[in-house]
């Protein structure tokens, strides 16, 4: 299995109107499909497909004509009048999928990964970056320039990140901003909105966002209101205060006058098992008081994954301090001369092997891990052992077990279980940092205000969602399990996200819309990525068109990089 050490970035980085009425569109499309279009020259015709148009309306057979990057005809078309014809018999033709919570932008700084192939192979044509509060305006502008230069694989939109703004103004100080600092942060948010940001995103579980009061976030979110912006949040404490944390998100939206959107929503951790219905009631209560609340979720029963070796902190003894310093250096791509991940893993295993005979050091490392000092971020402290499930282990009997249950059966503490796993398996043993019950996933997924997102990465993904989210919904939740019907699933990946992002010419298949299109086989589309092998590409997506040109053709990535920055441009203006 490939190295999972990229997780250190996750552990330590916090420190350092869609178109008009859907029914009208569907009626127009069906009428067009029933008639033979006038002879016309098209750049491309997708012939004999089954159209699922993204509105949630029933699928129907039709050809699509594309010219000048837009859909210009839907119906029975004269294929002889096309520059290129692709027969898509037996295939579904749908709007390109819009991933409203993506970390694929981590791939854009390297030309070898900027094509974001893993997402193209899922049918994604537009991704939303800046989630969890980390993106600043400089990166947003740099990515926009990369798109203009033909350097990225998919379109993108972006939030301005609260964590990034706060860090720029206040670094990592744990206090309220003074008036001048708050004004500087507001100015940074405004500059990003002027550039075309979607709205404000927060990561209130991470540093320095966790230092901010609700009132601070409201003051920044208000800046986005005249632009029609939205408020997206990785909520403050989902493992220990699930409902209160999501209520804070809705309250911020109400106070700021913007639409609230809790990101990658889930009833995470054993203490929240069975709370899916409570999440639904909370969102519907917000809607009942007049708020336009939406959420996104990914179709997996575990949150972020991590190698167990990354979860325990070495102590303050001389060896422990040196190891922590080396870990930080490797995370920053500034390793000490000659140091490598492999050597660090070996030395950490030896350290944890030796601590078994050093009870004082072992007690100190446990205290640092479970009750870290200020400024040190520990997932064990944030989500608790009770929220973790073993997903990869050389001992197959361990896989799928909740950590606290397995530790109890073995007669050891969860901390000691982790120490033993590190000694035995190095960085191979993996846990999910937030277990989720399947029933809780399904009840939220079925809601009309819930859309699909990946929360996934392109570079060295450590969670299968980075390679499998959208085909998993189509292959598992639609075809195999019948949780959603096909039309509803496609709507949750295209038309609903487009409406949320106030896109008027993407997310649906209609005449005049931008030709962001995916063609997939409904009988074979499936995810292949697993917890143990999260890098495996999905199957069944055959063609992907972005802005009218082919990014994926007959299952092969083309040489073109067609992604562009899509500025947020609702009708409301400042």
């Amino acid at each position: 299995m490939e190295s999972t050490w990229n997780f250190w970035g996750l552990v330590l980085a916090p420190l350092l109107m869609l178109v008009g009425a859907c029914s009208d569109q569907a009626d127009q499309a069906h009428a067009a499909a029933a008639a033979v279009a006038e002879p016309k020259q098209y750049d491309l015709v997708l012939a004999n497909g089954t159209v699922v148009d993204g509105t949630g309306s029933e699928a129907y057979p039709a050809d699509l004509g594309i010219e000048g990057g837009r859909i210009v005809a839907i119906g029975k078309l004269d294929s002889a009048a096309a520059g290129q014809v692709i027969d898509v018999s037996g295939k579904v033709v749908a709007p390109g999928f819009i991933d409203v919570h993506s970390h694929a932008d981590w791939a854009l700084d390297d030309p070898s990964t900027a094509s974001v192939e893993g997402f193209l192979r899922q049918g994604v044509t537009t991704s939303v970056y800046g989630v969890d509060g980390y993106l600043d305006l400089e990166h947003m502008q740099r990515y926009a320039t990369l798109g203009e230069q033909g350097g990225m694989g998919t379109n993108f939109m972006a939030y301005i990140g609260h964590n990034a703004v706060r860090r720029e103004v206040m670094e990592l100080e744990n206090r309220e901003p003074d008036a001048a600092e708050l004004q500087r942060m507001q100015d940074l948010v405004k500059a990003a909105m002027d550039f075309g940001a979607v709205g404000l995103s927060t990561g209130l579980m991470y540093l320095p966002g966790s230092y901010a009061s609700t009132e601070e976030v409201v003051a920044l979110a208000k800046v986005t209101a005249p632009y029609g912006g939205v408020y997206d949040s990785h909520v403050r404490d989902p493992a220990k205060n699930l409902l209160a944390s999501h209520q804070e998100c809705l309250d911020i939206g109400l106070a700021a006058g913007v639409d609230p959107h809790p990101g990658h929503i889930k009833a995470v951790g054993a203490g929240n098992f069975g709370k899916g219905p409570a999440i639904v009631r909370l969102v519907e209560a917000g809607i009942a008081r007049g708020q336009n609340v939406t959420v996104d979720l990914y179709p997996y029963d575990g949150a972020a994954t991590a190698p167990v070796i990354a979860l325990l902190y070495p102590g303050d003894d001389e060896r422990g301090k040196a190891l922590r310093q080396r870990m930080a250096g490797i995370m920053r791509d500034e390793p000490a001369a000659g140091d490598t991940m492999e050597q660090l893993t070996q030395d950490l295993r030896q350290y944890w092997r030796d601590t078994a005979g050093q009870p004082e050091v072992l007690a100190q490392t446990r205290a640092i891990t479970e009750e870290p000092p200020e400024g040190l971020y520990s997932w064990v402290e944030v989500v608790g052992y009770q929220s973790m499930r073993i997903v990869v282990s050389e001992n197959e009997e361990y896989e799928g077990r909740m950590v606290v249950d397995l530790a109890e059966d073995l007669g050891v503490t969860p901390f000691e279980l982790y120490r033993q796993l590190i000694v035995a398996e190095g960085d191979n043993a993996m846990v999910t940092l937030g277990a989720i019950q399947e029933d809780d996933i399904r009840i939220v997924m079925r809601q009309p205000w819930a859309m699909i997102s990946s929360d996934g990465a392109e570079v060295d993904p450590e969670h299968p969602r980075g390679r499998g989210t959208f085909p998993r919904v189509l292959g598992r939740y639609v075809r195999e399990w019948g949780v959603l019907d096909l039309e509803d699933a496609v709507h949750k990946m295209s038309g609903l996200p487009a409406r949320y992002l106030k896109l008027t010419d993407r997310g649906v298949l209609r005449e005049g819309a931008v030709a962001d299109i995916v063609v997939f086989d409904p009988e074979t589309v499936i995810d292949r990525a697993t917890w143990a092998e999260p890098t495996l590409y999905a199957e069944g997506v055959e063609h992907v068109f972005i802005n009218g040109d082919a990014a994926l053709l007959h299952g092969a990535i083309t040489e073109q990089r067609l992604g562009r920055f899509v500025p947020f441009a609702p009708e409301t203006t400042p």
Side-chain angles (χ1 to χ4, degrees), residues 539-562:
E539 295 181 344
V541 174
E542 299 194 1
H543 312 291
V544 175
F545 300 90
I546 296 178
N547 304 316
D549 292 318
L552 181 77
L553 197 60
H554 302 293
I557 298 292
T558 69
E559 294 182 0
Q560 304 178 93
R561 293 189 177 181
L562 303 166

Side-chain angles (χ1 to χ4, degrees), residues 341-361:
M341 295 179 188
E342 291 76 14
Q343 185 62 52
L344 177 58
T345 297
Q346 180 179 328
D347 292 346
L348 281 167
R349 292 180 75 178
Q350 187 61 49
Y351 177 84
W352 291 114
R353 184 178 292 113
D354 294 343
T355 56
Q358 301 172 357
E360 291 184 2
V361 173

Side-chain angles (χ1 to χ4, degrees), residues 116 134 283 351 395-396 402 433 498 542 562 567:
V116 291
Y134 69 87
V283 172
Y351 177 84
N395 188 333
E396 294 184 0
M402 296 297 292
L433 300 175
E542 299 194 1
L562 303 166

Side-chain angles (χ1 to χ4, degrees), residues 440-464:
D440 289 328
I441 296 172
R442 295 183 181 194
I443 192 171
V444 175
M445 183 182 288
R446 290 189 180 105
Q447 303 308 311
W449 33 259
M451 59 195 80
I452 305 301
S453 69
S454 74
D455 191 27
E458 173 71 17
V459 179
D460 296 331
E462 294 160 355
H463 191 299

Side-chain angles (χ1 to χ4, degrees), residues 252-281:
I252 288 171
L254 185 66
V258 297
D259 294 342
H261 181 92
H264 49 53
I265 201 167
K266 51 194 173 289
V268 62
N272 293 313
F273 286 175
K275 291 185 179 178
I279 290 176
V280 172
R281 290 193 295 272

Side-chain angles (χ1 to χ4, degrees), residues 228-460:
V230 296
Y231 172 61
D232 168 89
S233 182
H234 185 306
V235 299
R236 195 178 293 272
D237 189 5
K240 298 177 182 178
N241 292 287
L242 177 75
L243 298 179
S245 294
H246 286 88
Q247 187 63 56
E248 182 188 28
C249 175
L250 270 61
D251 291 345
I252 288 171
L254 185 66
V258 297
D259 294 342
H261 181 92
H264 49 53
I265 201 167
K266 51 194 173 289
V268 62
N272 293 313
F273 286 175
K275 291 185 179 178
I279 290 176
V280 172
R281 290 193 295 272
L282 184 148
V283 172
E284 291 184 339
I287 293 172
R289 69 179 182 179
Q291 292 187 271
N292 181 24
V293 187
T294 54
V295 309
D296 62 81
L297 76 160
Y298 46 78
Y300 293 90
D301 64 358
T305 52
V308 172
I309 200 171
L311 299 179
L312 303 190
Y313 277 112
D316 285 333
D317 57 301
E318 185 175 343
R319 284 177 68 192
K321 288 180 179 179
L323 285 167
R324 291 212 305 263
Q325 187 174 29
R326 288 171 62 192
M327 293 189 310
I330 285 180
M331 174 265 170
R332 295 192 304 265
D333 287 330
E334 298 174 356
D339 202 3
T340 64
M341 295 179 188
E342 291 76 14
Q343 185 62 52
L344 177 58
T345 297
Q346 180 179 328
D347 292 346
L348 281 167
R349 292 180 75 178
Q350 187 61 49
Y351 177 84
W352 291 114
R353 184 178 292 113
D354 294 343
T355 56
Q358 301 172 357
E360 291 184 2
V361 173
L362 193 61
Q364 185 190 59
T365 62
R366 179 176 176 181
I368 292 174
T369 296
E370 295 179 354
E371 298 180 13
E374 184 175 319
L376 190 64
Y377 192 91
S378 169
W379 278 102
V380 169
E381 190 275 334
V382 170
V383 304
Y385 297 112
Q386 71 273 14
S387 295
M388 299 181 182
R389 177 194 291 127
I390 295 175
V391 291
V392 179
S393 174
E394 295 171 6
N395 188 333
E396 294 184 0
E397 294 182 357
Y398 289 1
E399 291 188 351
R401 296 293 305 278
M402 296 297 292
V403 167
V404 290
D405 293 340
L406 178 59
E408 183 178 5
D409 288 349
L410 296 175
V412 299
T413 65
F415 180 90
E416 175 61 16
L417 172 61
Y418 280 177
R419 190 196 67 80
Q420 293 178 11
L421 282 171
I422 293 170
V423 172
E425 303 185 26
D427 61 354
N428 289 330
M430 299 278 292
V431 298
T432 177
L433 300 175
I436 310 162
Q437 284 193 326
E438 183 63 33
D439 286 347
D440 289 328
I441 296 172
R442 295 183 181 194
I443 192 171
V444 175
M445 183 182 288
R446 290 189 180 105
Q447 303 308 311
W449 33 259
M451 59 195 80
I452 305 301
S453 69
S454 74
D455 191 27
E458 173 71 17
V459 179
D460 296 331

Side-chain angles (χ1 to χ4, degrees), residues 40-45 66 78-86:
K40 181 177 176 62
Q41 181 66 41
Y42 307 108
D43 298 330
L44 170 67
V45 167
I66 300 168
D78 182 2
S79 298
Q84 181 183 13
V85 178
I86 300 177

Side-chain angles (χ1 to χ4, degrees), residues 113-157:
T113 57
S115 65
V116 291
E117 180 175 354
F119 287 86
L120 286 174
R121 290 191 176 279
Q122 294 181 63
V124 173
T125 57
T126 301
S127 299
V128 183
Y129 301 145
V131 292
D132 299 342
Y134 69 87
L135 192 70
D136 59 28
L137 178 56
E138 179 183 355
H139 280 82
M140 197 184 306
Q141 292 169 329
R142 177 146 52 88
Y143 296 155
T145 299
L146 183 66
E148 292 173 357
Q149 296 171 344
M152 70 173 62
T154 65
N155 298 321
F156 85 95
M157 302 179 76

